[in-house]
């Protein structure tokens, strides 16, 4: 069968407020991060399926004939897309020669691609195609890069299989899917995430799919109807850290000092709720400096609270200090202990200040990008709506 | 009448935990700071009363004949020492030519001295004497220097008047008064504080009198029975600040973000209670590294909370950073917004580390002293138990 070419993209994710507190039953706010992952799906007649992931120097192909061997015609229709087809995963791991020891980025990307591809096309003729992916997101930095990949895979392969339509009209540059289609994309992306992460929260793929901001509380994910787009700097301190170790550290501290730490979690909860209220006000009344004053104060307070939880890091202190010296407010985002931080920019923040701040941060060995949070989730692109340098990479294969 | 010579000293005060929170009904822990104020009272036959305060270049004397004019023989005995004799204060201000505009350190020191002197000796013959005071405490830094002065005045003049005995035995170098005498000293010192501060909390003079540690909650002051002596560095950033402005700033922040700030105050309250428990454990079980680990954690957490309240300062951040670079933990003490900070030292902290830390802090323009907290309150000294350089100053007059 012949499929249609498609360009899609999905955003990364940042935690605006509530990281760690969410583990202890408090609200967290997850926002889309407009460092995006772009995917081009191209029909071919090579009798092969190719996956190109130049970010991680990974270029894979399989003959359709060998992939056909992996298909078992199931007795009934799989209605419950939320449940992983464990038997298929087992067969794919065997086919790829993947063990728990060799489960690197490349193998996880192959597994999740082949899983979605085979389940969507397995009951009919397998199409010959090439998928090329380029991401602006650093990997393994807690910014939802694997979810953005899974969302792009789900959207493009669902389109290619005809399960959902391509939403782009001839007069659009970008377009988004309807709610129902987004739910299907999200549920397939979640399966990709399960293959990669084992037991994901579902937040990352939801943000990649819906964009904007999500309220996450006790495992329940609620997309917020309207949020403003906020300019930020995203800084990667490149300090390696283990989320598991950091989560355990916070838990230990709460157990050691419950009367001191539980109020801090309550305060973080109130920060998330206050932030949500202010952001919602910003979409329905004129945005003022006071809105930004409050957002900045919340960032500062939460950063102190995260330090109290023991998930700060000298590199994050440097980030906060350097940006504050230019009047900008920063906090860590995600697990902390190094990793990434976000710095709020105001609409009127001068580009010279932004550029010199970025330079300061790079001089300290950090990676730093000017981007935004609260932007759109997964979308289809015309080629000309893809940044030129990214289009060049995607079209190279 | 001829009085006996006496040397006394009283400690300064630091807030270990609970500054600002105490204004909002939470516990604060005030501790004696072993930077002391020394006073020598010497009988003379000059027919004069002399007060020498070389710290503030103040050298005053009055003829006994002019002081006698200020005495009005009261109709009854003043039992209630807690109430200020407003009429005497009015007469003293007139005598000294003090207005609210000219109420400087020198005038306040004169007022409180003459007030206590005249009330204690006014009903009989005024003695000819010289009082010389030298303080290790910086003035106006929130370290209770005025209270240490008032406590020394009260103790020495009460002794001179015969209202309390001199506690020193011939085989002692220093000695303290019994509980009842301390209560009398404290109540007279409180009157001195009322003259200087208008509406003092009573914490500073209580710490100066009893030493050790006091629990302060909702206006009630409870001296704690036993606390360990802790080595510290006391750093004065010399950044000027207004306690009134800082207290108002915290109040505004609580009003602006009650759901975020009230839990922070609860957490500070729990820090004070946890600290009190740990210090009490340290006096009745072998002191371990874990005791110090907890004290350090509490200091770090509270410093973050004080930053959340908005009473931090870049100079205090420098203090925390510099000391942490040598493994030492610091927090602001008192009003914040500059002012002073304390750094906990462990018993085993090497003197070379202490010296290089002090040097670092002085290089940043801060004043820094190695001292201790939790030491004794007001005490009488033999001359040889007074540090030589201080004895030299006191005996110069």
């Amino acid at each position: 069968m012949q499929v249609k070419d498609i360009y899609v993209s999905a955003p990364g994710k940042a935690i605006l407020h509530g990281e760690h507190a969410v583990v202890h039953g408090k609200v967290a706010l997850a926002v889309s991060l407009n460092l995006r992952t772009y995917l081009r799906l191209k029909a071919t007649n090579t009798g092969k399926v190719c996956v190109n992931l130049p970010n991680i120097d990974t270029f894979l192909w399989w003959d359709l004939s060998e992939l056909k061997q992996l298909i078992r015609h199931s007795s009934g229709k799989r209605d419950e897309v939320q449940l992983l087809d464990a038997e298929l995963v087992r067969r794919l791991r065997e086919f790829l020669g993947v063990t728990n020891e060799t489960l690197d980025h490349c193998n996880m990307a192959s597994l999740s691609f082949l899983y979605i591809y085979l389940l969507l096309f397995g009951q009919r003729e397998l199409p010959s195609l090439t998928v090329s992916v380029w991401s602006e997101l650093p990997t393994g930095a807690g910014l939802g890069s694997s979810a953005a990949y899974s969302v792009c895979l789900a959207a493009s392969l669902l389109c290619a299989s005809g399960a959902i339509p391509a939403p782009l009209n001839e007069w659009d540059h970008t377009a988004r899917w309807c709610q129902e289609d987004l739910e299907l994309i999200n549920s397939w992306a979640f399966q990709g995430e399960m293959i990669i992460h084992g037991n994901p929260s579902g937040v990352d793929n939801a943000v990649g799919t819906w964009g904007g901001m999500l309220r996450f509380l006790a495992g329940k994910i609620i997309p917020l109807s309207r949020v403003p787009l906020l300019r930020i700097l995203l800084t990667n301190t490149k300090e390696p850290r283990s989320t598991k170790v950091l989560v355990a550290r916070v838990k230990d501290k709460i157990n050691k000092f419950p009367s001191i730490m539980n109020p801090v979690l309550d305060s973080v909860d109130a920060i998330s709720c206050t932030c949500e209220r202010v952001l919602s006000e910003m979409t329905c009344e004129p945005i003022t400096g006071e809105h930004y004053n409050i957002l900045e104060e919340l960032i500062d307070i939460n950063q102190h609270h995260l330090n109290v939880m023991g998930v700060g890091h000298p590199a994050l202190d440097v980030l906060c200090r350097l940006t504050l010296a230019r009047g900008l407010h920063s906090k860590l985002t995600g697990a902390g202990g190094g990793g990434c931080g976000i710095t709020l920019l105001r609409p009127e923040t001068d580009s010279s200040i932004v550029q010199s701040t970025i330079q300061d941060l790079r001089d300290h060995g950090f990676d730093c990008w000017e981007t935004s949070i609260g932007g759109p989730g997964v979308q289809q692109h015309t080629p000309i709506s893809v940044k030129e340098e990214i289009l060049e990479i995607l079209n190279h294969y």
Side-chain angles (χ1 to χ4, degrees), chain A residues 20 246-247 249-250 305-313 316 332 334-338:
Chain A
H20 287 290
L246 290 160
V247 167
R249 189 187 296 171
V250 174
H305 286 351
L306 288 159
N307 274 310
V308 165
M309 293 181 213
V311 298
H313 188 280
L316 294 164
L332 70 84

Side-chain angles (χ1 to χ4, degrees), chain A residues 357-386:
Chain A
T357 306
I358 291 175
Q359 197 50 55
D360 282 356
L361 293 167
R362 289 185 178 155
D363 289 347
H364 266 79
F366 303 156
D367 287 340
C368 186
W369 301 266
E370 183 180 356
T371 179
S372 59
I373 54 176
V378 63
Q379 54 189 9
Q380 187 187 356
H381 291 264
T382 58
I384 61 154
S385 71
V386 177

